[in-house]
Amino acid sequence: MIFHDLVVIGGGMAAMAAVKSFRSRDTVSTIMMLSDQSDMPVRKPPLSKQLWKGMAVSDCFYNPARFGVEYHPATRVTEADFDRHLLTLSSGEKVRYEQLLIATGLQPRRLPGDCAEAVYFNSLADFRRVRQKLAAGGSAVVIGGGLLGVELASSLSANGIRVKLVISSEAPLTGYLSEPLAVRIRARLQAAGIECITGRRAIRLEPGGRVQLSDGKQLDADVVIPVIGQQPSVDFVSHDPEVSRHGLAVDARLRIKGLEDVFACGDVARFGVQASSFRHEENALRSGAAAGRNLAGDDVQFKPSSFLYSEFLDMRLESIGVGNAAEMKAIGEDWSDSKEQGICILTEDDLVRRVSMVNYRMDSETAEMLSSRLIGRSAEADQLQIVRTVLKPAA
């Protein structure tokens, strides 16, 4: 039986941020990292953006050995016995730990049916599959008008692929933008050659790269990429539907509630009274760093960040806050056609819940300042001007 002082399940950005932070305080304890991916740990954001613009795959890798980590790729945890501090691996091997960190991230939700042309995009292996299938050109159907769907549609189109983007609402990114701003994004995608199929859902995949839509029509493509949502990858921890849907509840030190020596960070961790985990890069890095410090004996009280960003075409979206913008009321909107810049302030029950902007850029201090001044506060007439005065155009 193998023993390690710290075992990390997961090999993404949050996991690597944690071991880096842990090692800055503890250079002696042994660390094992278990990942179900066959590659070295990678940064995820480039998979849908920079790698399609010429970035070398090698520039995305982390090196666990740099932090004295014993890394095991293509290794899945099938069972966790928290009382005995014992993990069972897919190989049947047993691993005992002193402390455990769960940073397994998210797994894609799947559509009914299947086809060989479908790629549920979530890893470097998936990037390689799509790139190989479309190496000689061809067509793609991307299903989903959220951040990842829009990024992939944009990247594929820029590489000469004929792209159809299936969006269940009337415009993309309606979870983050007011309807008028989302409609402008749709127009930009269409101008770039992406066919936006709106107001319809994909309901089934069929052999031959065929997608059945909710209106009875069919789409065919060389590659089909369903991006219809993600859920925490926690099957080995719990089969509770609430945990599977929303993530592992942690306290302010990122310890899983009810477990003394088990922590969680990144997309899989649900903080405080939030309904679900915060699923974006900034929070993955920050929560990983805080978890690493606490595992090494510090007492860091973690406060999650609600900041997120996306890049597509030559545009940038940034947002702070929580909740679905499609269910909110826009009390402040601003758009410049000449600069293609926009801001929207979104409220629910007369409280500001989300502030989003297109082609502006916030540094971390600005994001935290706007969050503290606006999010959760009563809607006021001068709030749009407050946002305008502190933002910088995206480079």
Side-chain angles (χ1 to χ4, degrees):
M1 183 180 297
I2 300 170
F3 172 83
H4 282 275
D5 298 305
L6 172 61
V7 175
V8 179
I9 307 176
M13 295 187 300
M16 288 305 302
V19 298
K20 178 181 179 181
S21 178
F22 181 88
R23 268 294 179 247
S24 71
R25 287 156 175 79
D26 183 334
T27 60
V28 177
S29 295
T30 61
I31 306 175
M32 170 185 271
M33 180 178 286
L34 308 170
S35 173
D36 61 1
Q37 301 299 312
S38 57
D39 289 291
M40 296 289 282
V42 299
R43 294 174 52 233
K44 256 192 174 180
L47 301 182
S48 58
K49 297 185 278 291
Q50 293 94 330
L51 285 180
W52 297 96
K53 298 178 180 179
M55 174 188 278
V57 169
S58 58
D59 290 339
C60 299
F61 287 128
Y62 293 103
N63 181 9
R66 179 185 170 195
F67 304 104
V69 175
E70 184 180 307
Y71 180 63
H72 292 257
T75 302
R76 189 166 55 87
V77 177
T78 59
E79 185 179 350
D81 186 333
F82 298 124
D83 292 331
R84 298 172 61 197
H85 286 210
L86 189 66
L87 304 175
T88 302
L89 308 185
S90 51
S91 63
E93 197 169 21
K94 305 287 186 180
V95 177
R96 191 176 294 278
Y97 61 85
E98 181 69 25
Q99 294 188 105
L100 179 67
L101 175 65
I102 300 175
T104 44
L106 305 172
Q107 57 187 350
R109 293 194 175 101
R110 304 179 74 88
L111 281 167
D114 201 2
C115 61
E117 294 78 9
V119 179
Y120 287 88
F121 199 94
N122 196 43
S123 68
L124 180 58
D126 297 328
F127 164 78
R128 289 177 172 139
R129 284 183 63 200
V130 174
R131 186 173 63 176
Q132 181 179 20
K133 286 175 178 287
L134 296 174
S139 60
V141 171
V142 179
I143 303 168
L147 300 177
L148 181 57
V150 170
E151 289 174 3
L152 286 170
S154 302
S155 294
L156 291 171
S157 179
N159 279 267
I161 306 303
R162 301 184 304 277
V163 179
K164 295 180 179 179
L165 178 61
V166 180
I167 307 168
S168 59
S169 57
E170 292 304 316
L173 303 176
T174 52
Y176 308 93
L177 295 172
S178 62
E179 183 178 358
L181 268 64
V183 167
R184 286 182 167 91
I185 300 300
R186 182 187 67 195
R188 283 288 277 107
L189 293 173
Q190 291 170 326
I194 298 168
E195 182 180 347
C196 294
I197 299 170
T198 61
R200 282 163 281 183
R201 294 179 296 105
I203 59 173
R204 186 174 181 82
L205 303 181
E206 295 188 350
R210 177 160 293 175
V211 181
Q212 293 282 354
L213 299 181
S214 54
D215 63 355
K217 294 183 179 180
Q218 299 174 341
L219 302 175
D220 296 281
D222 298 311
V223 172
V224 177
I225 307 178
V227 191
I228 56 171
Q230 297 176 308
Q231 62 189 38
S233 184
V234 291
D235 293 347
F236 68 95
V237 178
S238 172
H239 296 292
D240 183 337
E242 287 300 304
V243 174
S244 298
R245 188 178 302 116
H246 301 301
L248 298 166
V250 296
D251 62 20
R253 295 183 69 246
L254 297 163
R255 183 189 289 111
I256 295 178
K257 293 181 178 179
L259 298 174
E260 181 63 28
D261 299 311
V262 186
F263 293 68
C265 65
D267 294 339
V268 78
R270 176 163 55 90
F271 309 101
V273 298
Q274 294 299 327
S276 294
S277 56
F278 288 106
R279 302 169 184 181
H280 49 81
E281 178 182 3
E282 179 86 1
N283 216 63
L285 295 173
R286 289 190 179 191
S287 64
R293 289 181 60 184
N294 287 331
L295 285 159
D298 283 0
D299 187 16
V300 177
Q301 302 292 306
F302 177 71
K303 180 180 180 181
S305 166
S306 66
F307 171 81
L308 61 83
Y309 77 95
S310 177
E311 294 174 338
F312 48 91
L313 302 178
D314 57 353
M315 309 187 81
R316 182 178 176 92
L317 165 71
E318 295 192 357
S319 186
I320 53 174
V322 295
N324 184 357
E327 301 172 354
M328 299 179 189
K329 177 183 178 182
I331 59 133
E333 263 176 349
D334 189 20
W335 179 265
S336 167
D337 283 321
S338 61
K339 298 180 180 179
E340 288 195 317
Q341 292 176 330
I343 304 168
C344 59
I345 297 178
L346 300 144
T347 66
E348 188 176 42
D349 298 327
D350 294 322
L351 299 176
V352 176
R353 296 300 185 190
R354 186 175 288 282
V355 178
S356 298
M357 53 222 68
V358 176
N359 285 342
Y360 286 99
R361 186 181 291 270
M362 291 183 286
D363 56 31
S364 58
E365 290 183 2
T366 300
E368 290 178 7
M369 182 274 290
L370 287 178
S371 292
S372 64
R373 290 189 63 179
L374 299 178
I375 303 302
R377 303 299 180 92
S378 298
E380 303 289 347
D382 65 342
Q383 288 167 334
L384 187 60
Q385 183 58 33
I386 292 173
V387 178
R388 282 198 199 105
T389 59
V390 299
L391 294 182
K392 299 177 181 179

